[in-house]
Amino acid sequence: MKKRTLLKHFAVLAGALTALAAVPAHAQDQGQYPGRPVTVIVPQAAGGANDAIARIVTQKLGELMGQTFLVDNRPGAGGNVGTAQAAKAKPDGYTLVLTTNSAHVINPSIYKSTGFDPVKDFEPVGLVASAGYVLVANSAFPANSVADLIAQAKAKPGQISYASAGNGTLNHLIGEMFKRAAGVDMLHIPYKGSAGAATDVAGGQVPVSVQSLPSSLAFLQSGKIKVLGVANEKRLASLPHAPTIGETLPGFGSTPWYGLLAPAGTPRDIVAKLQAALEKTLASKEVADKLAAQGCEVLTGNPVQFAALIKDDLPRWNKIVKDSGAQID
């Protein structure tokens, strides 16, 4: 009897130890989050605005949260590939996505299927930044303004090409919006990322492109490309003398936003920790200065405000896309 009783006690003790051993793992994922490196998917190629913003922000996030935040570029289908992968990731806070409005709220109107639901598949963490977008040309191109480009394109319909970061990207859509607003016919040349497009414009292989400032800044500073017009609604603080496209084509303008999201179902306490750390990150002068050096600005908004922006932007961009005629199968 004593032996059986002793064995029974051992069994109970073993069960208790097993349950106790499971506690740190649970705490590591929630109470002590983050207990291991966090992957931040960027659904665009390296070298563009989203990549530059992500690397600046995740570095500071990692410092504040005491853990490594790894940027994982997963481009494809205008941002659909990486965004869909983030939507399907385990909702434990260890896979996030730092995306832009082009992939999240514009693509659903351009593509027949994106592979994700921009509202149901994500938990917004917060807005991060806005970026400047510019219509640029090779330095030797004869046009020096938006009006000059329109005149050139009307004189040579279908003969002037423009490069973008790929089909369905914001660069592409702004280019199509420009064509429609200006009433011109230009040939679209899609690249696999903005870096390649900017390089070829600087090299003279393609005369014109719509680029984010981070992807074109080095070429602008070297004089290899020039700004014809700013695609944002307002002039950029980093390019105060460059006129907006809207100054020539009234009503034209788009300012892209970038934001951090987690897969739907991510525990609220984890989202709250990420949001608090993101708020501190964006309040840092170091981060603001680094973003400004890339032609970007801090853009703040908590999860509720970010979710409202997404819901408001979806129908707004749906109308813009339909008016522009842009569509990808």
Side-chain angles (χ1 to χ4, degrees):
M1 287 293 293
K2 289 182 179 181
K3 185 176 182 181
R4 288 181 181 178
T5 301
L6 190 60
L7 288 173
K8 184 178 180 180
H9 284 315
F10 273 129
V12 172
L13 181 61
L17 289 172
T18 300
L20 191 61
V23 172
H26 176 74
Q28 175 175 294
D29 281 349
Q30 294 194 28
Q32 296 177 9
Y33 174 87
R36 54 186 169 86
V38 177
T39 296
V40 179
I41 293 175
V42 170
Q44 287 83 27
N50 200 12
D51 180 64
I53 291 168
R55 292 183 188 279
I56 292 168
V57 171
T58 54
Q59 181 180 355
K60 191 64 176 180
L61 268 179
E63 292 174 10
L64 292 173
M65 300 193 80
Q67 191 53 262
T68 302
F69 278 65
L70 302 168
V71 172
D72 184 5
N73 296 91
R74 299 189 190 181
N80 289 341
V81 172
T83 309
Q85 289 174 335
K88 296 175 177 65
K90 185 178 179 181
D92 57 4
Y94 289 98
T95 300
L96 310 172
V97 60
L98 203 158
T99 191
T100 178
N101 62 335
S102 64
H104 209 75
V105 299
I106 300 176
N107 278 5
S109 297
I110 297 178
Y111 290 83
K112 290 182 178 179
S113 176
T114 59
F116 64 89
D117 185 300
V119 175
K120 295 179 181 178
D121 288 344
F122 296 94
E123 300 281 354
V125 175
L127 287 164
V128 173
S130 64
Y133 268 69
V134 286
L135 178 63
V136 299
N138 178 270
S139 58
F141 188 64
N144 290 306
S145 67
V146 171
D148 287 348
L149 175 60
I150 293 172
Q152 292 267 342
K154 286 185 174 180
K156 302 176 181 178
Q159 295 181 46
I160 297 175
S161 56
Y162 78 94
S164 82
N167 286 318
T169 60
L170 188 57
N171 316 64
H172 174 207
L173 185 59
I174 291 174
E176 292 301 308
M177 289 168 62
F178 173 76
K179 285 167 54 179
R180 187 177 182 86
V184 297
D185 180 19
M186 296 172 65
L187 179 64
H188 175 224
I189 308 294
Y191 281 72
K192 293 182 178 179
S194 55
T199 298
D200 274 10
V201 172
Q205 286 83 358
V206 185
V208 177
S209 181
V210 174
Q211 289 285 324
S212 68
L213 269 184
S215 63
S216 57
L217 207 53
F219 295 119
L220 286 170
Q221 291 170 343
S222 68
K224 293 182 179 179
I225 62 175
K226 57 189 175 184
V227 175
L228 302 182
V230 173
N232 300 52
E233 289 96 341
K234 299 178 181 180
R235 291 194 182 197
L236 303 173
S238 51
L239 294 173
H241 301 298
T244 65
I245 296 173
E247 290 175 45
T248 301
L249 299 172
F252 188 98
S254 172
T255 298
W257 54 252
Y258 298 80
L260 187 67
L261 302 103
T266 300
R268 290 184 180 181
D269 60 331
I270 289 180
V271 173
K273 284 184 178 181
L274 286 166
Q275 194 275 326
L278 180 62
E279 187 176 329
K280 290 181 181 178
T281 294
L282 298 178
S284 163
K285 184 178 184 301
E286 175 192 3
V287 169
D289 288 346
K290 286 182 178 179
L291 288 173
Q294 293 293 326
C296 304
E297 297 180 4
V298 168
L299 184 65
T300 58
N302 62 36
V304 174
Q305 293 167 328
F306 190 12
L309 176 63
I310 291 171
K311 289 181 180 179
D312 288 345
D313 268 5
L314 284 166
R316 184 173 71 87
W317 273 103
N318 183 258
K319 183 180 185 306
I320 292 173
V321 169
K322 284 184 177 180
D323 289 346
S324 74
Q327 190 69 47
I328 298 174
D329 294 333

